[in-house]
Amino acid sequence: MDEYIRQLRAYIREHKIIFEEVCPQPCLDALWWHYGEYHALDSPQAKEGFKNLRDCLDSLPIKDSDAVFEYVVYLCAEYERIAFATGLKLGTQLMMELAGETSVDQ
C-alpha cells in the first residue's frame, strides 16, 4: 500500500489541477467510466431538463434534432467526467495537505 500511495502522490505532483485543462488522463478516465457504469448519474432535474430539451427539439426535422441532442449529451457527459476527475484530484490534494504535506510540490 505504501508503494501505491507513493505513486499516487507522484502522479498528483505531476498532474496538478488546472481547470479547463485538456489532456488525456487514462487512470482518472477509467475510474470515471467504471463509476458511471454502476451508479445512476441522472438527477430528477437532469431528467426534466432533457425532457424539456427533447420537447424543444421536436420542432426540428428528426435528423437535425438527433444531431443536436447527440452534441448536448456528449457535452454533458464530458463535463461530468471532468468534474469527477477534478474532484478526485482535489480530494487527493486535500488528503495530502491534511497528512502534513503543505504542498503537492514536496
Side-chain angles (χ1 to χ4, degrees):
M1 186 62 137
D2 288 341
E3 178 61 17
Y4 175 77
I5 299 297
R6 188 193 65 70
Q7 288 179 7
L8 182 59
R9 285 180 175 155
Y11 177 84
I12 295 301
R13 283 186 193 104
E14 293 173 21
H15 300 92
K16 295 177 188 174
I17 294 174
I18 299 171
F19 293 98
E20 300 181 27
E21 174 183 53
V22 179
C23 69
Q25 301 172 8
C27 178
L28 295 178
D29 286 346
L31 284 171
W32 166 245
W33 185 86
H34 287 286
Y35 179 84
E37 282 294 301
Y38 298 103
H39 294 86
L41 300 173
D42 290 339
S43 68
Q45 295 86 354
K47 288 179 183 177
E48 181 68 19
F50 275 109
K51 179 189 173 299
N52 293 340
L53 173 64
R54 185 49 89 182
D55 290 345
C56 291
L57 293 174
D58 283 344
S59 64
L60 295 173
I62 297 267
K63 187 177 180 180
D64 294 340
S65 174
D66 287 347
V68 171
F69 193 76
E70 286 177 20
Y71 284 128
V72 169
V73 169
Y74 170 79
L75 289 172
C76 289
E78 183 62 12
Y79 276 109
E80 286 177 350
R81 185 194 64 78
I82 290 168
F84 179 83
T86 301
L88 286 175
K89 287 176 158 182
L90 186 60
T92 301
Q93 284 184 218
L94 175 62
M95 293 306 296
M96 290 169 70
E97 289 180 16
L98 291 174
E101 294 184 28
T102 58
S103 169
V104 293
D105 292 329
Q106 291 183 346

